[in-house]
Amino acid sequence: MSLWTSLEPASATVDPGSSTTVRLRVRNTGDIVDEYHFEPVGDLAPWALVEPRSLRLYPGTTGTVELTFAPPRTPDASAGPHPYAVRITPTEHPDAVTVPEGNLTVTPFTEVRAELVPPTVKGRFRGRPRLAVDNLGNTKVTASLSGSDSGDRLSYDLRPGNVQIEPGRAAFVKATLRPRQITWFGSRQEQPYRLAVRRSGADPTEVDGTFVQRGILPGWLAGSFGLLLALTIAFVTIWLAYRPQVQSVAREKPAKAGQLAPGRPSPPISSPPPQPRQSQGPSEKPGGDGEEKPKGGGGDGDQPEEEPTERTAATAVRELVARSAGRHICYRAFVQDDGWQEPVCDGAEAGTAGQGKPVKALNIAVSGTNGVTGAGAYVGEGWRKGDAWQKEDDVKDMVLGSTESADPPMEGFTLQVFDGSVCHEANVKDRNWTGKLCTEPGKWRYGGSPMELNLPLEAVRFTV
């Protein structure tokens, strides 16, 4: 071996989002001039930079190169020690490769964000929002959840009450809000509330929402009932004070009839003879020429043609159930610049994979699953945000996303069926198919672009 190496220091520490430098000293211990090429290897190689890339050394001389490590502040830079190495290849003896090794420790950091979906819920007896908690740090997060409001007017049922979230993953918490007092009459009342994600040794992450409580009966009904009650009392009072005298003459008429014709029976009362029905002559028929003309006027050419109806996912699932009853899912995609596609079913591809045309909306319908619910998602300001949650029964159309030209394309979705599981595959820009993901029975699962990449959705496949 004609090469001596030394890493200074052999172990280093770096914070995600910043950088650190390690020096590599190299000495040519041979008897000929040689040129050495340097290449970082290992898991840290994508974050490492070697300068210079090569050194030319005379016998007995020493040179120095610098290794700069700059891990990003993302969940990919996992906390803890990471071994690394540098491959040194001499030009004169390419088989005599030297690989000095070192160790780099990435410090942990935590970043938790939360979102209410939807931020405003409405109900008479309860509201059911969902809280999405995202771990954007590089270490596992354990947190508890709680709810509060001014005046203590709501009670909170959060399931689960505690979550453990791996780096780069999200947890969905089902919240049930119940008003402590029921509003029987009147207009709706808005009650602000707050859900908090609490971690040990850190400030809580709080999300604000609004619960709109509706009255059991409309306000106008109470006014109408009061007015009706007042009129009823007034009528009864007037009736009791000025009750009219009513006399029956039913017994007087037979006596008078007997005085007019004593001893003779009254002649029977006969109904008048029926009048002959006059038929309408030919000249009196509509049209004036003895023939009735059809309604709508004109010949066959004057009949208006029916406009063709749109074939949606619900149309396709009804046709499929008619041929083969059971569990099915049909869907179609609204592709930018192309519009709605024809619906497909049970694992077929909807969208335009690999053509660079993003999906802006999805139309989904199911059978045999007791309905479907979900939300579209897009990425803004560095993390995922969702549209309003949608829910439809079996054989009904549910639409996620937006077809408006000003709205951004979808980057993901969250899906659930109420009976059994649903599996989905997503194709996002430049990433091909992301692999099949299946929900646990009755649970949610997010599909689409990784949150840190912000890539538009291009195609989907669904099965139930």
Side-chain angles (χ1 to χ4, degrees):
M1 181 65 66
S2 60
L3 183 65
W4 172 85
T5 62
S6 175
L7 284 170
E8 299 176 356
S11 297
T13 302
V14 64
D15 296 327
S18 62
S19 62
T20 188
T21 300
V22 176
R23 289 181 176 83
L24 175 61
R25 297 181 63 194
V26 182
R27 178 182 296 171
N28 183 358
T29 59
D31 55 1
I32 62 173
V33 178
D34 206 344
E35 185 174 5
Y36 303 94
H37 299 274
F38 305 91
E39 179 186 4
V41 294
D43 295 338
L44 299 183
W47 308 331
L49 176 64
V50 179
E51 291 183 347
R53 303 286 295 183
S54 63
L55 281 178
R56 185 176 180 85
L57 299 177
Y58 287 91
T61 60
T62 302
T64 302
V65 297
E66 292 186 346
L67 284 77
T68 301
F69 297 94
R73 190 177 174 83
T74 65
D76 294 334
S78 58
H82 297 268
Y84 69 90
V86 181
R87 182 187 292 117
I88 305 176
T89 306
T91 302
E92 297 298 331
H93 303 282
D95 295 335
V97 176
T98 302
V99 186
E101 297 181 354
N103 187 74
L104 180 69
T105 299
V106 179
T107 60
F109 77 94
T110 58
E111 184 176 352
V112 175
R113 295 186 182 178
E115 179 190 12
L116 272 173
V117 184
T120 301
V121 291
K122 302 177 182 179
R124 293 181 174 86
F125 302 102
R126 66 181 63 86
R128 291 177 175 173
R130 285 169 174 81
L131 180 67
V133 185
D134 298 277
N135 181 7
L136 303 181
N138 65 349
T139 185
K140 181 189 292 186
V141 167
T142 300
S144 62
L145 300 110
S146 62
S148 62
D149 62 272
S150 60
D152 195 24
R153 299 177 59 185
L154 301 175
S155 64
Y156 304 86
D157 181 15
L158 305 177
R159 297 186 181 181
N162 297 278
V163 293
Q164 286 190 345
I165 312 173
E166 296 293 335
R169 303 300 295 273
F172 291 90
V173 179
K174 296 181 180 179
T176 302
L177 315 177
R178 290 186 175 89
R180 298 186 185 276
Q181 293 183 351
I182 297 176
T183 302
W184 290 98
F185 295 97
S187 59
R188 63 184 187 178
Q189 300 178 2
E190 295 187 357
Q191 175 60 45
Y193 69 94
R194 177 172 295 171
L195 297 183
V197 182
R198 303 183 183 276
R199 295 170 290 135
S200 176
D203 294 333
T205 302
E206 297 179 333
V207 184
D208 294 329
T210 303
F211 174 65
V212 180
Q213 183 180 3
R214 298 170 175 170
I216 304 299
L217 301 174
W220 61 264
L221 186 59
S224 301
F225 179 76
L227 179 61
L228 180 61
L229 181 61
L231 292 176
T232 302
I233 294 174
F235 177 77
V236 172
T237 302
I238 295 173
W239 175 267
L240 294 177
Y242 302 99
R243 183 169 55 188
Q245 301 295 327
V246 180
Q247 295 181 350
S248 175
V249 295
R251 295 182 180 180
E252 299 178 0
K253 289 185 177 180
K256 292 181 180 180
Q259 292 176 2
L260 291 176
R264 291 187 181 182
S266 300
I269 301 176
S270 60
S271 59
Q275 296 295 327
R277 185 176 181 180
Q278 296 181 359
S279 61
Q280 192 176 28
S283 61
E284 298 175 357
K285 292 183 180 180
D289 56 356
E291 295 182 0
E292 292 192 20
K293 293 184 178 180
K295 295 181 180 180
D300 295 338
D302 296 332
Q303 296 293 335
E305 297 182 357
E306 296 183 357
E307 296 182 359
T309 58
E310 183 180 9
R311 190 166 183 267
T312 66
T315 308
V317 84
R318 281 194 294 268
E319 296 172 354
L320 190 56
V321 169
R323 298 193 302 269
S324 174
R327 295 171 60 85
H328 298 288
I329 182 169
C330 294
Y331 43 93
R332 58 175 181 158
F334 187 95
V335 179
Q336 184 171 303
D337 300 329
D338 290 349
W340 284 111
Q341 296 182 330
E342 283 296 312
V344 296
C345 302
D346 296 339
E349 178 181 323
T352 55
Q355 298 185 20
K357 296 181 179 180
V359 171
K360 299 198 65 175
L362 293 173
N363 171 208
I364 304 172
V366 296
S367 69
T369 67
N370 198 22
V372 62
T373 181
Y378 60 94
V379 177
E381 301 178 359
W383 72 296
R384 183 183 59 78
K385 293 184 177 180
D387 293 335
W389 288 80
Q390 306 294 329
K391 176 184 178 299
E392 288 297 343
D393 298 329
D394 279 357
V395 201
K396 297 289 185 179
D397 281 311
M398 181 184 73
V399 177
L400 307 181
S402 172
T403 61
E404 297 295 332
S405 59
D407 291 336
M410 293 179 64
E411 297 185 8
F413 51 85
T414 302
L415 207 60
Q416 174 194 12
V417 295
F418 293 97
D419 184 4
S421 301
V422 59
C423 298
H424 47 71
E425 297 180 79
N427 186 296
V428 297
K429 181 181 179 181
D430 301 330
R431 299 283 289 188
N432 208 338
W433 292 97
T434 58
K436 179 181 288 187
L437 300 174
C438 296
T439 66
E440 297 180 15
K443 296 294 183 68
W444 304 87
R445 188 135 192 192
Y446 172 80
S449 170
M451 298 177 186
E452 68 275 9
L453 296 182
N454 302 13
L455 298 175
L457 190 67
E458 291 190 353
V460 294
R461 299 172 182 153
F462 296 125
T463 56
V464 294

